[in-house]
Amino acid sequence: MQRVVFLVPLLVVGSTWTHQMDPVIENSPVRPMENFDFEQFIGRWYEMAVLSTCPHYMQRKKRNPVIVALDLKHVPTQHNFTMTSSTFKNGTCVETLTVYSLTSTPGRFFHHVARFGADVDSFVIRTNYDEYALMLQLSTEQPSGNKTTTVKLYGRTTSVSRPVLDQFNALIRHHEMSEDAAIMNQHKGDCFSGKQLMEKTANHQAFAPQISRQNITTEEKQNDV
């Protein structure tokens, strides 16, 4: 098995980036949580659940509904941070690196997805830093102007409590989407060298994984997703 690393070429905005230059939402009614502390927010998260108004995105997620490990790293002297996502796809460990720009609004981040020509604003709607985070992403594709709303639930571990899920569903309803359509990701293990790959049995019985040990190597590739 190989461990594939995708380096995503994104619009990396320097220290002169300001809120007025935001190409997505200049007068957004969305506001991140008050008194947001970015230094407490960075570190490892897991994408536990997701719902989006983009049908193509939802189709891709349904084909591979696995928990994604997210590692956020920040150099204090820089005005951006990186998010490395790690997950299994078709038995292969895939990593994707995304660069996010910090904005003048704490709890609000920006990045550009070159493949789709999409400008994306991310908002931390609510978090207690050590258990969960409710995320809202608003994106606009250029030049079509197509807009997408995505709600995500992050957890510090691979399990979340019922009260947290209730908050996630409430955020979905607030943005007039159906909570029944939300995708709850499944845990198949962390794709790091020396770890075990967890896979479902052939008859897809829940919580009955087969375990196989794989040697994972690193291969860097350029991609624009």
Side-chain angles (χ1 to χ4, degrees):
M1 175 180 293
Q2 289 185 327
R3 185 181 183 185
V4 182
V5 179
F6 291 105
L7 301 178
V8 182
L10 301 168
L11 175 64
V12 181
V13 185
S15 59
T16 58
W17 193 91
T18 63
H19 174 71
Q20 285 73 23
M21 296 174 63
D22 184 349
V24 183
I25 313 163
E26 300 237 345
N27 297 300
S28 171
V30 178
R31 294 290 180 268
M33 66 176 288
E34 296 182 356
N35 303 315
F36 176 75
D37 188 334
F38 177 70
E39 294 304 321
Q40 289 192 65
F41 184 72
I42 59 175
R44 165 154 289 206
W45 290 95
Y46 295 92
E47 182 190 284
M48 304 298 297
V50 64
L51 178 60
S52 177
T53 58
C54 176
H56 302 295
Y57 175 86
M58 292 297 289
Q59 288 174 5
R60 292 196 302 271
K61 294 296 290 186
K62 287 178 180 178
R63 289 196 296 266
N64 191 41
V66 297
I67 290 176
V68 182
L70 308 169
D71 288 302
L72 282 60
K73 296 181 180 180
H74 173 240
V75 177
T77 57
Q78 298 181 358
H79 291 261
N80 54 50
F81 68 95
T82 61
M83 176 186 287
T84 302
S85 62
S86 307
T87 189
F88 286 110
K89 292 183 180 180
N90 299 320
T92 300
C93 181
V94 177
E95 290 189 347
T96 303
L97 177 68
T98 305
V99 179
Y100 287 78
S101 294
L102 299 174
T103 75
S104 59
T105 303
R108 179 178 178 178
F109 319 125
F110 171 79
H111 74 282
H112 177 81
V113 183
R115 180 181 181 184
F116 303 106
D119 296 324
V120 185
D121 256 334
S122 298
F123 300 84
V124 182
I125 302 301
R126 187 176 304 123
T127 182
N128 62 359
Y129 301 105
D130 59 2
E131 181 185 6
Y132 75 95
L134 298 178
M135 304 294 300
L136 176 68
Q137 292 184 328
L138 304 178
S139 64
T140 302
E141 294 183 19
Q142 302 297 340
S144 66
N146 291 335
K147 297 182 182 298
T148 297
T149 299
T150 303
V151 178
K152 295 184 177 183
L153 172 61
Y154 291 172
R156 287 295 192 187
T157 67
T158 55
S159 63
V160 292
S161 65
R162 171 51 58 183
V164 169
L165 288 175
D166 290 342
Q167 292 186 54
F168 174 67
N169 289 330
L171 182 60
I172 289 174
R173 293 192 299 270
H174 178 76
H175 289 278
E176 300 181 343
M177 294 186 283
S178 172
E179 60 190 83
D180 293 334
I183 296 175
M184 299 301 299
N185 293 328
Q186 303 166 10
H187 186 50
K188 291 190 176 181
D190 294 333
C191 52
F192 295 118
S193 179
K195 293 290 184 178
Q196 294 176 333
L197 171 62
M198 307 290 288
E199 295 181 339
K200 288 185 178 180
T201 56
N203 60 4
H204 298 285
Q205 292 179 349
F207 306 111
Q210 291 179 335
I211 300 176
S212 60
R213 296 185 181 274
Q214 303 289 344
N215 294 322
I216 303 176
T217 59
T218 301
E219 176 183 354
E220 292 190 355
K221 286 188 177 182
Q222 293 293 328
N223 196 18
D224 61 350
V225 296

